[in-house]
Amino acid sequence: ELFDSEDPREREYLKTILHRVYGKLLGLRAYIRKQINNIFLRFIYETEHFNGVAELLEILGSIINGFALPLKSEHKQFLVRVLIPLHTARSLSIFHAQLAYCVVQFMEKDATVTEYVSPTQSGPTQRGFSLAVSGCEGIIRGLLKYWPKTCTQKEVMFLGEVEEILDVIEPSQFIKVQEPLFRQIATCISSPHFQVAERALYFWNNEYILSLIEENCAVILPLVFCTLYRVSKEHWNQTIVSLIYNVLKTFMEMNSPLFDELTASYKVEKQKELKKEQERLELWRRLEEQQQRRQQSLGEQSMNQLNLQHSQNHSDPSHSCNT
């Protein structure tokens, strides 16, 4: 409750005190971790308000750094059941830096984080536990699961955190997440918000990530090529267009034959789309013409019927007498 104070100075003192208590009193460590876990779960699923999240995450960053290997099941569960769902908070911007640091600390502590319990899947054959998933794969897929759809500020934060994770990822683990990850990055590149697109394109400025992309160019290039080519022709921001041209040039240098093949394939598909669009427009034009002819025919029939009634009324003698 004290960590929920409105005064940041009080929370800072509490952070120092709790960190020292955790370091000195070994018997209280499990209890402290459990209480922090409960506070975060209450924050995520009930109140959505707690002033001391950032300070508690700072403490956790130091605690995670001191975890012994191999990591306990308790720590892996904390990663997937608490830290990853914390990304859904509306106030993420207040504590995102500390949260990203904790996630990266898990990666640096054990890049393969052998197994953890998934909170979304279970089966009787596994005694309530899901199939084993590597840590970085679970982290990336968790971020993709909670990826923001309408908040561009959070998208930029997610992209920054993904880059930090990829900075410490092992090549063997990168292969497992490259397809869903770069589908999402392609979606971000096509965002009309220039900061989101710019942040996604900055991945190609990171030397380590660029080396991973080059090793797996045959898989990644087809995932992003159509988006890059299309956005380079359509995006309103010239800075984004320039960055995309640089990325396309990089891909062309990496694998020129594949780049040429995808370019030719894209143009063929574009021609098919244009032809299909023309056929659709032609079909609508014919339908409109048919509708106009039908209306014109109905109008003529209506006029003929009125003229016939009028002539019959004039030729009717009883009608003439009455008048």
Side-chain angles (χ1 to χ4, degrees):
E1 292 181 5
L2 292 175
F3 268 102
D4 199 20
S5 168
E6 298 285 347
D7 190 341
R9 296 169 300 176
E10 185 176 355
R11 298 199 303 269
E12 191 67 26
Y13 277 119
L14 284 167
K15 182 184 73 174
T16 304
I17 292 168
L18 183 60
H19 192 270
R20 290 181 179 176
V21 168
Y22 187 90
K24 298 290 184 181
L25 304 177
L26 304 184
L28 291 177
R29 288 186 176 183
Y31 175 78
I32 292 171
R33 289 197 304 270
K34 183 178 180 181
Q35 292 307 310
I36 293 174
N37 181 82
N38 292 339
I39 289 171
F40 284 158
L41 288 174
R42 195 178 307 117
F43 170 74
I44 296 167
Y45 298 110
E46 294 180 12
T47 64
E48 293 189 357
H49 175 79
F50 189 81
N51 291 314
V53 174
E55 286 78 12
L56 289 175
L57 285 171
E58 284 186 38
I59 296 171
L60 276 172
S62 300
I63 292 173
I64 293 166
N65 193 37
F67 282 164
L69 293 175
L71 292 177
K72 295 179 181 179
S73 176
E74 167 202 347
H75 304 327
K76 299 170 190 175
Q77 290 181 24
F78 178 77
L79 168 65
V80 72
R81 293 183 173 177
V82 179
L83 291 185
I84 299 301
L86 266 175
H87 290 81
T88 62
R90 295 179 183 178
S91 55
L92 178 65
S93 59
I94 298 173
F95 55 84
H96 180 257
Q98 292 86 350
L99 178 59
Y101 177 77
C102 288
V103 172
V104 173
Q105 281 294 303
F106 263 106
M107 290 290 301
E108 290 182 341
K109 195 68 183 175
D110 185 359
T112 59
V113 193
T114 54
E115 298 178 357
Y116 65 69
V117 180
S118 170
T120 57
Q121 298 176 347
S122 62
T125 58
Q126 306 298 327
R127 295 185 181 178
F129 297 93
S130 73
L131 295 176
V133 181
S134 65
C136 66
E137 184 181 358
I139 291 169
I140 294 291
R141 291 185 185 276
L143 290 175
L144 294 176
K145 176 183 177 182
Y146 297 121
W147 200 275
K149 305 296 182 185
T150 57
C151 182
T152 54
Q153 181 188 10
K154 286 183 74 172
E155 277 195 273
V156 172
M157 289 189 287
F158 271 56
L159 287 166
E161 184 174 350
V162 167
E163 183 173 358
E164 290 183 37
I165 292 169
L166 293 181
D167 269 333
V168 297
I169 199 171
E170 296 291 336
S172 59
Q173 302 297 325
F174 176 78
I175 293 171
K176 297 177 181 179
V177 298
Q178 59 184 349
E179 292 190 30
L181 175 59
F182 276 87
R183 285 194 191 97
Q184 183 61 57
I185 290 173
T187 303
C188 292
I189 291 171
S190 63
S191 171
H193 197 288
F194 81 96
Q195 288 182 337
V196 176
E198 183 180 52
R199 191 65 189 83
L201 290 165
Y202 279 163
F203 277 50
W204 278 264
N205 292 341
N206 185 303
E207 291 185 7
Y208 181 64
I209 296 175
L210 190 61
S211 68
L212 294 172
I213 293 172
E214 187 171 6
E215 290 174 9
N216 301 277
C217 183
V219 176
I220 294 172
L221 180 53
L223 295 173
V224 299
F225 180 83
C226 291
T227 300
L228 291 170
Y229 202 98
R230 175 176 54 80
V231 176
S232 69
K233 306 294 183 184
E234 299 175 359
H235 206 281
W236 61 273
N237 189 290
Q238 285 303 311
T239 303
I240 301 301
V241 173
S242 300
L243 288 171
I244 288 176
Y245 281 142
N246 291 336
V247 171
L248 287 171
K249 182 181 177 183
T250 302
F251 273 128
M252 187 167 60
E253 292 171 353
M254 285 180 184
N255 194 333
S256 182
L258 178 60
F259 187 90
D260 294 339
E261 180 185 339
L262 289 171
T263 303
S265 175
Y266 177 83
K267 290 179 178 179
V268 169
E269 289 297 321
K270 201 68 177 175
Q271 289 297 324
K272 288 180 180 178
E273 288 179 10
L274 290 172
K275 185 179 179 181
K276 190 175 181 180
E277 180 67 15
Q278 289 173 355
E279 290 174 353
R280 189 181 68 84
L281 293 173
E282 179 64 20
L283 177 60
W284 276 111
R285 187 184 66 78
R286 290 176 184 174
L287 289 171
E288 288 172 357
E289 288 180 355
Q290 185 178 353
Q291 178 68 9
Q292 288 175 359
R293 287 197 299 268
R294 181 178 177 80
Q295 289 177 349
Q296 185 178 2
S297 175
L298 290 172
E300 291 176 355
Q301 289 178 9
S302 179
M303 286 297 295
N304 291 337
Q305 190 173 3
L306 287 172
N307 291 335
L308 181 60
Q309 289 177 355
H310 186 69
S311 61
Q312 286 176 349
N313 289 338
H314 279 289
S315 61
D316 188 354
S318 63
H319 179 77
S320 301
C321 292
N322 291 334
T323 58

